[in-house]
Amino acid sequence: MRIDLNPELNVFFGRNAQGKTNLLEAACGLSDGRSFRGAHVEDLIRRAETDAVVDGVFESSGIETQLQVRFNRTVRQYWVNGKQVHDVKDFAGRLKFVIFSAECLGIAYGEPQTRRDFLDRGIFSLNPSYLLTARTYKQVLRQRNELLRQPDRDETVLQAFTERLVESGSRIIDQRIRFTSLLQECVPDLHRAVSGADETIELEYHTSLGHPQNDLTDLKSRFHQKLEQVRSDEYARGSTLAGPHRDDLEIRLNGIDIRLHGSRGQRRSCVMAMKLAELTQIGRTAQDPPILMLDDIASELDRERLVRFISLIPDSVQVLMTLNAVDSDYFRPNMDLFAVDTGRIENVSAALLKNNPDVISLSKGD
Amino acid sequence: MELKVLRELIEDLSRLPGIGRKSAQRMAYYILKQPRSFAEKLSRSLINLKDGIKPCERCFNLSEDGVCSVCNDEHREKTVCVVEEANDVAAIERTGEFKGRYHVLNGVISPLNGIGPDNLTIGRLIERVASGEVGDVIIATNLTVEGEATAMYISRVLKARGARVFRIAHGLPVGGSLEYADEATMAKALEGRTEL
């Protein structure tokens, strides 16, 4: 199956379970070799088949790049411009995107992990080698936790892994603090525009290491100190009790923590503003704006807020959006419309616009 | 349906590193087509490999008669390069750049795999250092989480015994371009800068 996308807005509509989300997941797979829902790309293989290929061509600064993920149930291969690359780190991050799905609303009230993932994904878009740092940290953490569970462990071995933990963990915290302040630069204005209310949003990275100066050496020594403090607890519980895997992002509205006290509407506006801030900052730093994927958000957001949200997306951003039903409120002059039905995708722009000439005038109106 | 003997060989071959089921199948059918002498020679080579090679009693590199060719070479310097596996010795020897001797750890410390310092040849390395046969120690374990932690561990225990311990430099590849370096490599390269 092959689809030619519009450089601005692409709307995929159809009833549930027809394959709309799979399509966005396939596109995301081209960015990081994974799926945005945390599910594995293997889940995208059609039930009766054993292999699948996701193939995409994108253009950045006038240069076309072809990306391919080939996979079956056990092996995953990455290809760039017809050449196989052997490590996902040499593949990931070429195609940048920001995803906004109904699940993203959990950023405002869900587990800290949801907010850490939000930060990590953004940092990865700006700096693909962050993947390597994150991967290293995860592995050290597993090794160190295992060691803490062993009653007869060698203290010098523990010190060696602690050293590695601090090394990669401090880098992660440093990157997260920097990314948070990058978001903070533009999030208040975006939030006012989305919510239509005169409230001030504030993002602050909250680490168990206190308030470090933005300096790697300071972070490392604080990290060591903290581990020293919690040492006996770590022995008792057999687990690493300080580090970026226990941090959180504080979201405050007029000084009030919305993770605990926000209303439904306030939380939604905050997440929308944070997503727009991510889009803005990645677009500013990368050569090209990222692709924005909006998965089924109309089912979760009220129409007024959503129309404001869409009007805030710059024209230069390519948007892939799924909807359960066609709704011309979200349309733009330059767009393509695709009908998705039982895994088949058909471009119906021409047919639909002919039947409904109001579509164009409507979208020009806003 | 494959015959039992064929299936057995395919299963054995597919356990080899880098060999999937399909390659194992091709190998098995290839061997089947060859004359009996081919199979005899191959199986003899396999047995000879297991019987004829033993770890060097000093450094755990591969040897044919108990002490490896590097340890037997009197012209080698006292510096010792610590590596994870015997094939790392072969890799360094190919370059001809290193004039010292080796110490093969036979693995790295990995709590998840139940491997601690006692499962490696670190005790023997400490003895070698204590006996005075070793000068400086260069640790050349891989730049993985486990390789780095093992290097850190060895440096701590050897420094406590007065040895001078070095880590091999890491950073940009020779002939490489700065443009393509990832953040971690670049950070390492800057950290390990040398004065001109």
Side-chain angles (χ1 to χ4, degrees), chain A residues 50-261:
Chain A
T50 55
D51 298 83
V53 178
V54 183
D55 190 328
V57 177
F58 75 97
E59 196 203 286
S60 166
S61 327
I63 300 166
E64 277 196 355
T65 306
Q66 188 206 19
L67 296 175
Q68 229 180 37
V69 188
R70 300 181 187 176
F71 49 94
N72 58 35
R73 307 227 175 249
T74 52
V75 193
R76 221 181 294 174
Q77 291 181 342
Y78 306 101
W79 297 67
V80 178
N81 291 330
K83 267 196 196 153
Q84 190 176 358
V85 294
H86 293 281
D87 193 328
V88 63
K89 81 174 165 50
D90 300 319
F91 175 87
R94 289 168 188 267
L95 181 68
K96 297 184 194 306
F97 71 93
V98 172
I99 175 90
F100 189 10
S101 67
E103 283 116 78
C104 291
L105 294 168
I107 292 172
Y109 56 83
E111 295 296 311
Q113 178 76 51
T114 344
R115 289 178 285 279
R116 292 195 295 264
D117 286 348
F118 163 73
L119 292 174
D120 286 347
R121 196 169 271 286
I123 299 166
F124 162 74
S125 295
L126 288 178
N127 177 2
S129 71
Y130 183 67
L131 189 66
L132 195 68
T133 316
R135 201 154 76 172
T136 303
Y137 184 75
K138 210 169 139 189
Q139 177 69 3
V140 191
L141 193 62
R142 289 179 61 215
Q143 291 282 21
R144 192 173 183 274
N145 285 343
E146 179 59 36
L147 208 51
L148 287 168
R149 279 192 286 271
Q150 296 175 359
D152 57 340
R153 69 185 157 262
D154 181 325
E155 286 303 315
T156 314
V157 173
L158 183 63
Q159 281 169 16
F161 279 99
T162 301
E163 197 67 47
R164 304 317 305 159
L165 186 85
V166 168
E167 180 69 36
S168 54
S170 304
R171 279 184 204 286
I172 291 177
I173 297 175
D174 178 50
Q175 294 271 357
R176 287 190 187 156
I177 291 174
R178 284 200 235 181
F179 187 63
T180 305
S181 54
L182 216 53
L183 293 176
Q184 185 58 38
E185 280 174 17
C186 57
V187 80
D189 289 343
L190 290 166
H191 178 264
R192 281 192 199 94
V194 165
S195 69
D198 189 24
E199 291 170 318
T200 304
I201 183 177
E202 253 178 304
L203 305 178
E204 192 184 348
Y205 186 70
H206 189 266
T207 157
S208 51
L209 309 186
H211 291 274
Q213 291 136 26
N214 212 344
D215 170 72
L216 217 47
T217 326
D218 178 55
L219 267 175
K220 282 181 195 169
S221 70
R222 278 170 183 274
F223 202 163
H224 271 301
Q225 273 167 26
K226 184 73 193 181
L227 288 171
E228 202 57 47
Q229 278 171 28
V230 296
R231 199 203 313 221
S232 53
D233 282 348
E234 285 195 332
Y235 289 170
R237 291 176 49 186
S239 146
T240 300
L241 297 179
H245 65 292
R246 296 175 67 91
D247 291 350
D248 200 351
L249 177 69
E250 265 181 37
I251 310 168
R252 289 188 298 263
L253 208 52
N254 284 348
I256 292 162
D257 190 337
I258 65 139
R259 294 171 304 177
L260 306 169
H261 305 292

Side-chain angles (χ1 to χ4, degrees), chain A residues 267-314:
Chain A
R267 286 172 169 171
R268 297 197 163 184
S269 296
C270 285
V271 175
M272 291 163 98
M274 286 161 71
K275 283 286 162 183
L276 285 169
E278 183 190 358
L279 188 71
T280 309
Q281 290 299 8
I282 295 171
R284 235 175 241 175
T285 317
Q287 286 168 326
D288 290 286
I291 296 169
L292 178 63
M293 315 234 189
L294 301 174
D295 188 33
D296 196 27
I297 52 170
S299 65
E300 285 293 328
L301 300 174
D302 54 284
R303 174 179 296 240
E304 200 187 341
R305 234 185 277 258
L306 188 55
V307 170
R308 278 201 294 259
F309 177 83
I310 288 173
S311 72
L312 288 165
I313 302 167

